Amino acid sequence: MDLKSLFICTLLGCLLCYINAQQDGNDCIKANAKSCGECIQVGANCGWCTEPDFLKQGEPNSARCDVLESLKKRCKEIENPRGDKTVLLNKAVTNRNHGTDERKPEDITQIQPQKMALTLRSDEPQTFELKFKRAEDYPIDLYYLMDLSFSMKDDLENVKNLGTNLMSEMQDITSDFRIGFGSFVEKTVMPYISTTPAKLLNPCTGDQNCTSPFSYKNVLKLTNNGNQFNTLVGQQQISGNLDSPEGGFDAIMQVAVCGEHIGWRNVTRLLVFSTDAGFHFAGDGKLGGIVLPNDGKCHLENGMYTMSHYYDYPSIAHLVQKLSDNNIQTIFAVTEEFQPVYKELKNLIPKSAVGTLSSNSSNVIKLIIDAYNSLSSEVILENSKLPEGVTINYVSHCKNGLVNTGENGRKCSNISIGDEVMFNISITAHKCPKKGQDETIKIKPLGFTEEVEIKLKFICECECHDKGIANSPKCNDGNGTFECGACRCNEGRIGRLCECSTEEVNSDDLDANCRRDNGTDICSTNGDCICGECVCKKRDNPNEIYSGKYCECDNFNCDRSNNMICGGNGECVCRVCKCSPNYTGSACDCSLNTSTCLAKNGQICNGRGNCECGTCKCTDPKFQGPTCEICPTCPGVCAEHKECVQCRTFGTGEKKDTCEADCSYFNLTKVNDRDKLPQPGQATALTHCKERDASDCWFYFTYGVNNTENDVHVHVVDVLECPTGPDIIPIVAGVVAGIVLIGLALLLIWKLLMIIHDRREFAKFEKEKMNAKWDTGENPIYKSAVTTVINPKYEGK
């Protein structure tokens, strides 16, 4: 790339950078911010100039707000507050050993950090890392909630020994395990159960001895005594109801919200829901005349749910909220018949699992352990409700270098005990809250009690706002607050300095101050007259600005070159181009740089022209080219010196008689071989020539010029290359041989054609001979000597 191309590329690159920077700042200018606080809320790349004398004539206060890159070129005092993040509590995740660590559950840490404070500015994200480590030997609370309708009779027998057996199996997972038990049937109103006195005592038919129907009963609070679990469950009796779906949702709600009755600790909480039937949900209570929505509160007295006849079943969304708020992970142990129903329910309840229960619940222990391993190997982050205008984004860094974004960025799977995973969390405020108050949000992994508490502070005003001077003399004798270099007018006052009241804005006397040279146009039709002063209009393109006392100036009506204002080499000031250094002209399209006119010999335009606007203007019309180096009508170097070289070397040519007088201007060196001629790089300005004389002989020479000594030197091969005559013998021999070969070829072709013709004739003869009709066994001209004559009258009688 030559110097000229490099210069143009650099210039265009700078121009594109400037244009992009201006376009990025469009939102800052378009916002028409009246104060610094309004400006910084437009976007993270907007700044406010606080210099008192920053504004030009006719510019409103909103002109102080612009993109930072553009503002830094024009202003030294810029208000640009930035957000930050502070870690308030950062306990390291716990390394716990199985069975040997006696720390309390609340002292075990699986998530880091625990508390943070973020200061947010509009559209400026604050990002932090969150670490999760699945602790070894983490305590578990498991509550077994069982359907005790009549169809579950055989299942109850297998659950009676669940306590000790499950505790034994769970020893491999945790040394701190507690188990509890509860049961449910249905609401105790028609049409779910029969309300006749006899059926209320024993809802079963025949000789079956069943207990009275109930909605939900907390049989055993969470305990580490497996034998107590077996004893109390062994005392339970089956009950009955009328319809197929059961009231399990009532029971789940009470288990979730009655923490004191159930005995939940701040550890892993598992709820095993065992049934062989479907479920009622919100709205089904109308069948029994129950219309009040479930209130989501605890109503247990002596372990029994007392408000089943008063409140409707909870909705699925209501259950999801309560299970999440209380960090309960649900395992649905259901028979194969109802697998599809509960799998759909699982998709609606985060951190839940579905297992296939055998017909008699004999596989319940394996089902619980498998479901627990599935739930605990996945971590899913959730956050509390975000303030209006605040968004959150997750990026997860899971095992084996797997990175997830979007909704999948909230979770990591296949996490083993002791594994650490990282989450990058970005929180962005897109606007300030209405009251500008601090907010608090929480982020936690589903099914765990630990959480990260994040305090959000919002930057809604600039720091200079607090230093504002109320009723400042700078604002027309106290008609406004002077803050951040500008006046914020009191109510009823307007103008850059609050110099007018809203009642006198359209006064004719004030309008007269906005007419240039007592003309008729107010503010040159490019602005509005406010308080006797022109405030220029804004154009659709925020980079185009009206200015001046009467808005008579602009920065977009200057001369253009290459479809750019001022050729891209200057600035348009009041419709006149102010050119950058090394440029001139009305459109700054004339470069004063002469480097583009330099020839290879270091001369401007090869000494044959003048450099004008970075381009050579050749004074000799015979020459042309970027540096006047081309002369189409001039003879070449070789042709120009051919006659002199010929006469001085060989004594021939047109100048042989005047050789001494005309051809002594160069030094001549003779060589006997072309290889001994100077090669490129050995001499300066070297030209290789090949010319022919009158006898059609070629001769070779080089023409070289030493620029420093102005010395011309010619090297010539002193042996001519003349063409040799033809060799007759080979030509004659070749012609004779060609004639003989052609004759032999013709004879062979003729012989071949004759053979083919004869064979065809013979074949034709053979064919005709085979077609002859006479008998070849008798002479055809033989006549017998015996003549037989028959009497014509003879009738053969």
Side-chain angles (χ1 to χ4, degrees), residues 306-433:
T306 58
M307 302 297 285
S308 67
H309 64 287
Y310 191 74
Y311 289 116
D312 193 6
Y313 301 98
S315 65
I316 295 175
H318 201 179
L319 277 184
V320 170
Q321 177 193 348
K322 293 301 180 180
L323 289 171
S324 176
D325 290 346
N326 293 280
N327 307 305
I328 296 174
Q329 304 176 63
T330 310
I331 300 172
F332 295 104
V334 297
T335 55
E336 186 173 3
E337 178 185 358
F338 288 93
Q339 281 284 307
V341 175
Y342 282 91
K343 283 184 177 179
E344 290 297 325
L345 181 61
K346 166 190 172 297
N347 295 332
L348 300 175
I349 302 179
K351 292 293 281 187
S352 62
V354 177
T356 303
L357 191 67
S358 61
S359 59
N360 58 1
S361 296
S362 59
N363 67 331
V364 67
I365 293 179
K366 183 179 184 303
L367 184 153
I368 291 172
I369 292 176
D370 290 345
Y372 168 75
N373 289 331
S374 173
L375 290 173
S376 60
S377 66
E378 183 177 55
V379 57
I380 303 174
L381 297 184
E382 71 164 1
N383 52 268
S384 59
K385 184 179 179 181
L386 298 172
E388 185 181 359
V390 176
T391 58
I392 189 167
N393 181 59
Y394 296 88
V395 178
S396 61
H397 299 268
C398 307
K399 291 175 63 177
N400 302 321
L402 182 64
V403 178
N404 296 318
T405 58
E407 279 302 309
N408 290 329
R410 293 175 174 265
K411 62 183 179 180
C412 281
S413 303
N414 301 320
I415 303 174
S416 304
I417 292 175
D419 286 343
E420 287 186 4
V421 293
M422 301 294 295
F423 295 87
N424 286 337
I425 303 175
S426 296
I427 299 179
T428 307
H430 300 285
K431 63 179 182 179
C432 279

Side-chain angles (χ1 to χ4, degrees), residues 35-42 48 460-462 483-484 488:
S35 65
C36 185
E38 292 180 16
C39 178
I40 63 171
Q41 292 183 47
V42 176
W48 177 271
C460 300
E461 280 290 354
C462 300
E483 62 177 47
C484 302
R488 179 180 285 186

Side-chain angles (χ1 to χ4, degrees), residues 605-616:
C605 302
N606 273 300
R608 299 165 182 153
N610 300 318
C611 187
E612 298 179 7
C613 299
T615 303
C616 282

